[in-house]
Amino acid sequence: MRLISFINAALVIVALYFLVFERDALFAFAGRGDVEESASSETEEAVVSIANENAVRVVALRSVAREIDSAVLLRGQTKANRQVEVLAETTSTVISEPMRRGAFVEAGDLLCELDPGTRPASLAEAKAGKLEAESRIPEAEARLEEAHALVAEADINLKAARKLSETGFGSETRRVSSEAAMSSAEAGIKSAEAGLEATRAGIESAAAEVEAAQREMDRLTIEAPFQGLLESDTAELGSLMQPGTLCATIIQLDPIKLVGFVPETEVNRVQVGALASAQLVTGRQVEGRVTFLSRSADETTRTFEVEITVPNEDLTIRDGQTATIRISAEGAKAHLLPQSALTLSNEGQLGVRTVGAGDVVDFMPVRVLRDTAEGVWIDGLPETTDIIVVGQEFVVKGVTVNPTYQEVTQ
C-alpha cells in the first residue's frame, strides 16, 4: 500500500510540475496552442477590422512614373522670313507698267521706273566738268617744274655771287640780289604746288558731282532687293513718286519662320538648333530647327520669343497662319493623374495627398509639367506612389485612412 501511495504522489507531483512550469509545452502537445493562437489572431483581425471601419475611406491610385514626350508645346504663328516696303528715293513720275500683287520676283528685277527728266543732262555736265578739271593737271605740273628750274638757276647765281663777294671781285649788292631771287624762286615752287593741289581738289569735286548725278540716275530704277512675292501692286503708271512713297511690298516665304513665346518656366529647356515640328491650322505637319531664342522677356507676358525656320519651297505656307509648335527637349519621367487629384496645402502649395506606411496620409508638393485631355503630368514624386484620387479633400497629413485601390487604366 505504501509503495502504491508513493507512486501516486510522484505522479501528482509530475503532473503539477508540467501544469505549472511547462504549461505551454503541455498545451502544444495537447493541441491547445493552435487554438489559442487562432483565437489571438482572430482578436487582432477583429481589432484591425474595427479600426478600418472607423478610418476614412478613400480611393487611391498606385501610380508609376512614366517617360513622357519631352517636347515643349507652344502656340504660335507663321511669319515671313523677310518683308520690306520698297520706297522711292527721288521725285519723279512712274513710266513703267505696274506689276500685280502675287507676282514672283527675283533679286534685281525692275519694280518701278521713273522719268529721268533733266538728270541725264546733269550727269553729262558733271562728267564734262570732271574732264575739264583733269585737263588742268598738265598745266599745273608744268608750272611746278618751271618753279623747280627757277630755283635751280637762282641757286647757281647765289653761289657765284657769294664766292665773288668773298674774294672781293663781286659787290655786296649782287649777292643780296641773288638771295632775293632764290627766295622768290622757292616761293614760286610753293605756289605751283598749291596750284597743283587745287587742280586735284577740283578733279575730286567734279568726280563727286558725277557720282551724285549717277546716283540720282540710279534712283530712277527701283529694283527688288531679294527674291520673293509682291504683297501689293507696284506703283501705277503716271503716278508721282516722292522720297518715301511706296513702290511695292515684297515678302519672302522660303524659308518661313514659326514664331512662338516660351514661358519662363520652360525657357531653359529650349536650345538654339533644337529640332522642332508644328501642326498648322490647316492640318499640315512641318519640321524645322530653332534659329532664335530671345534673351529678354516680354514685360507684359514674361515670355521669351522663339523662332523656328522651316523650308517652304512650294510657298504653300502663308504668312500669319496659326500653328501648334513642339520643340524637342530632354526627356523626363512624370506621373499622369486626373486633374481632380491635385489639392492645396494649408500654406497654399500645390500637391497631392498620398497613402504612406500604415495607411497614413502624407502631403507631397508637385509641379505640373503639362495639362492634357487625359489628365495632368506632374513631377516631384517618387517612382511609385499611392495617390489619393477620391476623398483627398476630407483628410489631412497624419490621418489614418482605409484605402481602396483603383486600377491604373481607369
Side-chain angles (χ1 to χ4, degrees), residues 222-264:
I222 304 175
E223 300 175 346
F226 52 80
Q227 183 188 75
L229 295 171
L230 289 179
E231 191 66 9
S232 66
D233 294 342
T234 59
E236 187 59 60
L237 175 66
S239 59
L240 177 64
M241 305 290 285
Q242 295 180 342
T245 304
L246 178 66
C247 169
T249 300
I250 302 177
I251 61 173
Q252 186 181 72
L253 298 179
D254 183 27
I256 197 166
K257 295 185 291 186
L258 301 175
V259 180
F261 293 88
V262 185
E264 56 185 340

Side-chain angles (χ1 to χ4, degrees), residues 94 96 110-114 220-223 234-235 241 246-248:
V94 178
S96 61
L110 179 65
L111 300 178
C112 298
E113 185 177 2
L114 307 182
L220 297 175
T221 54
I222 304 175
E223 300 175 346
T234 59
M241 305 290 285
L246 178 66
C247 169

Side-chain angles (χ1 to χ4, degrees), residues 100-313:
R100 298 307 176 189
R101 66 179 68 185
F104 184 81
V105 295
E106 296 284 351
D109 284 356
L110 179 65
L111 300 178
C112 298
E113 185 177 2
L114 307 182
D115 183 13
T118 59
R119 291 176 180 83
S122 299
L123 178 60
E125 182 181 359
K127 289 181 177 179
K130 181 181 178 182
L131 290 175
E132 182 183 358
E134 290 174 345
S135 67
R136 295 173 184 169
I137 286 289
E139 180 182 357
E141 290 177 345
R143 287 178 182 176
L144 181 60
E145 291 178 1
E146 181 183 2
H148 280 290
L150 291 175
V151 168
E153 180 183 359
D155 184 57
I156 293 172
N157 292 334
L158 179 58
K159 289 179 180 178
R162 285 176 178 174
K163 193 170 185 180
L164 291 173
S165 178
E166 289 174 357
T167 57
F169 292 99
S171 64
E172 184 69 18
T173 303
R174 183 178 177 182
R175 182 185 66 80
V176 173
S177 177
S178 297
E179 290 177 351
M182 182 64 179
S183 298
S184 177
E186 290 176 345
I189 288 179
K190 292 182 179 179
S191 177
E193 289 177 345
L196 181 59
E197 290 298 324
T199 302
R200 290 173 177 169
I203 293 175
E204 292 181 359
S205 176
E209 291 180 2
V210 171
E211 185 176 354
Q214 185 62 56
R215 177 65 176 168
E216 187 67 17
M217 287 291 295
D218 293 340
R219 290 171 177 167
L220 297 175
T221 54
I222 304 175
E223 300 175 346
F226 52 80
Q227 183 188 75
L229 295 171
L230 289 179
E231 191 66 9
S232 66
D233 294 342
T234 59
E236 187 59 60
L237 175 66
S239 59
L240 177 64
M241 305 290 285
Q242 295 180 342
T245 304
L246 178 66
C247 169
T249 300
I250 302 177
I251 61 173
Q252 186 181 72
L253 298 179
D254 183 27
I256 197 166
K257 295 185 291 186
L258 301 175
V259 180
F261 293 88
V262 185
E264 56 185 340
T265 56
E266 300 283 344
V267 69
N268 288 337
R269 300 181 61 209
V270 178
Q271 301 293 330
V272 174
L275 288 172
S277 63
Q279 182 175 3
L280 304 181
V281 69
T282 58
R284 178 176 174 179
Q285 296 283 344
V286 295
E287 293 184 352
R289 288 189 177 272
V290 176
T291 53
F292 172 76
L293 178 60
S294 174
R295 294 283 181 176
S296 176
D298 183 273
E299 293 184 358
T300 304
T301 62
R302 309 307 303 167
T303 56
F304 295 82
E305 184 178 1
V306 61
E307 291 182 359
I308 297 137
T309 301
V310 174
N312 186 27
E313 296 177 357

Side-chain angles (χ1 to χ4, degrees), residues 364-380:
M364 291 188 178
V366 298
R367 182 169 67 97
V368 177
L369 297 180
R370 190 179 307 163
D371 189 356
T372 65
E374 295 78 17
V376 289
W377 288 93
I378 63 173
D379 70 349

